């Protein structure tokens, strides 16, 4: 493997200072109980978020998804969404502690996953930005299936290395890094890597609810939305299963209900149409779950063109 390119000294210094600042912040947050720190962070985010430009995007997305709700109702959903994000930020700094307190994590259908453990074969687990999405893989990991994951690379290599290490307990099968907007060649290389990983019997999880400029247009809350087709493509081509997962916060603490449902994979003579139908089915599942707990979904992300 080729060595990573050298980082210019000034940029390296900046990266090291950023990393130091992050570790200091995490150290301060971890001085307090998880739920107390989460409540403080939630209030802070609720206070400052309306001044962030992404708040306007959240309201626009909510208006499209819920035209029957009043502006006040949509504003309330958006503010509670920011509260949830504030809690997620603190919980991300305490993932190791949360995983060591099993009473915080209720797995609805863990017995089903355990039953499939030794005959599951290659699997793709798709989740969305709901509740604390960092924990959405836990049912698969808990079953001893050793899943890997796809995550968005952080430009700062020191921060990236630290965040990867913090997720090792959730992704014992390893992590594949991808950039926010990879070039065509880089994107194809990543796709080949994860395709090979799954083909060889791997279990791989990733978030599939974001806008994808090269994606497939399928309905989402009644509007065409370009959606990530990679899970459908891999499942259809290599014969993998797809499990759709969600994580829902219970109350206002770091307590969650987590479950996954298996999606039926159509295999007709028209592979392209099968991939489209699978992608649409994933988004339908997401939409159904979002309608149940709209305040826990990240409406500030781009979803429609």
């Amino acid at each position: 493997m080729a060595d990573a390119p050298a980082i210019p000294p000034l940029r390296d210094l900046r990266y090291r200072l950023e990393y130091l600042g992050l570790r200091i912040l995490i150290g301060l947050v971890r001085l307090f109980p998880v739920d107390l720190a989460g409540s403080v962070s939630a209030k802070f985010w609720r206070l400052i978020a309306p001044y962030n430009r992404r708040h306007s995007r959240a309201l626009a997305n909510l208006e499209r998804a819920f035209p029957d709700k009043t502006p006040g109702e949509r504003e309330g959903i958006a503010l509670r969404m920011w509260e949830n994000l504030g809690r997620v930020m603190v919980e991300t700094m305490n993932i190791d502690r949360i995983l060591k307190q099993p009473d915080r994590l209720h797995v609805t259908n863990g017995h089903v996953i355990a039953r499939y453990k030794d005959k599951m074969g290659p699997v793709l687990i798709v989740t969305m930005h709901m509740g604390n999405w960092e924990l959405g893989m836990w049912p698969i990991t808990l079953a001893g299936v050793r899943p890997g994951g796809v995550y968005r690379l952080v430009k700062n290599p020191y921060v990236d290395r630290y965040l990867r290490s913090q997720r090792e307990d959730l992704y014992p099968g390893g992590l594949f890094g991808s950039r926010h907007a990879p070039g065509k060649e880089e994107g194809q290389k990543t796709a080949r890597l994860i395709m090979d990983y799954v083909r060889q019997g791997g279990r791989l999880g990733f978030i599939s609810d974001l806008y994808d400029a090269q994606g497939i247009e399928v309905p989402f809350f009644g509007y065409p939305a370009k959606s990530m087709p990679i899970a459908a493509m891999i499942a259809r081509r290599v014969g993998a299963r797809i499990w759709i997962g969600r994580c829902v916060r219970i109350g206002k603490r770091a307590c969650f209900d987590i479950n996954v449902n298996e999606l039926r994979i159509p295999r007709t003579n028209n592979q392209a149409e099968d991939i489209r139908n699978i992608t649409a089915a994933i988004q339908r599942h997401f939409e159904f779950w979002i309608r149940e707990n709209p305040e826990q979904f990240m409406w500030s992300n781009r979803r429609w063109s």
Side-chain angles (χ1 to χ4, degrees):
M1 182 179 293
D3 294 333
I7 304 173
L10 286 178
R11 187 184 304 169
D12 184 66
L13 176 61
R14 190 188 74 196
Y15 284 160
R16 289 177 183 275
L17 290 173
E18 289 174 354
Y19 173 67
L20 177 62
L22 174 66
R23 293 304 302 267
I24 291 172
L25 174 62
I26 291 172
L28 290 172
V29 168
R30 288 174 67 96
L31 289 174
F32 301 93
V34 175
D35 295 324
L36 174 60
S39 293
V40 172
S41 181
K43 291 178 180 177
F44 176 74
W45 273 91
R46 182 185 176 103
L47 181 66
I48 68 168
Y51 302 99
N52 187 305
R53 62 184 178 82
R54 295 188 70 180
H55 186 67
S56 297
R57 178 193 288 172
L59 292 176
N61 286 341
L62 280 163
E63 183 176 9
R64 173 168 282 191
F66 298 108
D68 54 322
K69 293 187 181 297
T70 66
E73 289 172 328
R74 294 193 290 265
E75 178 76 19
I77 292 172
L79 291 175
R80 292 193 296 276
M81 173 202 74
W82 291 119
E83 287 183 351
N84 183 69
L85 178 61
R87 291 188 169 90
V88 169
M89 291 186 67
V90 165
E91 291 155 4
T92 300
M93 302 176 190
N94 287 277
I95 284 180
D96 58 324
R97 292 176 173 177
I98 292 172
L99 295 181
K100 291 174 183 174
Q101 300 177 44
D103 58 311
R104 291 185 179 273
L105 304 170
H106 176 252
V107 180
T108 299
N109 54 352
H111 64 288
V112 176
I113 304 166
R115 189 173 67 210
Y116 275 102
K117 176 185 174 183
D118 297 323
K119 53 185 178 181
M120 190 178 285
V123 176
L124 294 145
I125 307 99
V126 294
T127 60
M128 59 177 167
H129 288 92
M130 170 169 269
N132 187 326
W133 51 91
E134 295 280 358
L135 299 168
M137 289 292 296
W138 185 237
I140 306 295
T141 306
L142 190 63
V145 178
R146 294 186 58 80
V150 178
Y151 81 107
R152 186 177 296 173
L153 284 165
V154 177
K155 185 178 295 185
N156 184 319
Y158 305 106
V159 173
D160 186 76
R161 191 178 306 128
Y162 173 75
L163 294 178
R164 285 172 64 96
S165 70
Q166 293 301 102
R167 289 161 174 75
E168 286 178 352
D169 289 342
L170 281 172
Y171 298 97
L175 286 165
F176 295 86
S178 67
R179 301 189 187 280
H180 173 59
K184 185 176 180 180
E185 184 176 339
E186 184 180 0
Q188 290 175 345
K189 181 180 178 181
T190 302
R192 285 194 299 271
L193 284 172
I194 64 178
M195 178 87 76
D196 289 344
Y197 177 83
V198 176
R199 183 181 284 116
Q200 294 166 16
R203 289 75 187 250
L204 188 70
F206 47 88
I207 293 175
S208 298
D209 64 341
L210 297 175
Y211 175 82
D212 182 357
Q214 280 76 50
I216 296 175
E217 261 192 5
V218 296
F220 188 66
F221 282 89
Y223 292 88
K226 285 196 170 184
S227 304
M228 295 174 60
I230 190 165
M233 291 169 59
I234 296 174
R236 179 61 179 76
R237 291 176 182 175
V238 308
R241 298 175 184 270
I242 289 183
W243 292 78
I244 306 178
R246 70 165 171 176
C247 177
V248 177
R249 184 181 304 279
I250 302 171
K252 296 185 177 182
R253 299 176 60 236
C255 296
F256 306 93
D257 181 83
I258 311 168
N259 69 290
V260 293
N261 293 337
E262 185 171 6
L263 179 68
R264 179 182 172 275
I265 306 298
R267 289 184 175 85
T268 69
N269 293 329
N270 190 334
Q271 180 172 273
E273 193 61 25
D274 287 349
I275 291 171
R276 177 177 296 278
N277 288 336
I278 296 167
T279 304
I282 291 171
Q283 300 305 317
R284 281 198 304 272
H285 267 75
F286 288 168
E287 180 181 334
F288 178 79
W289 283 335
I290 292 166
R291 288 184 182 277
E292 290 183 340
N293 297 279
E295 72 286 350
Q296 294 194 33
F297 181 65
M298 278 295 293
W299 294 101
S300 58
N301 289 328
R302 184 182 179 190
R303 191 61 192 90
W304 294 279
S305 58

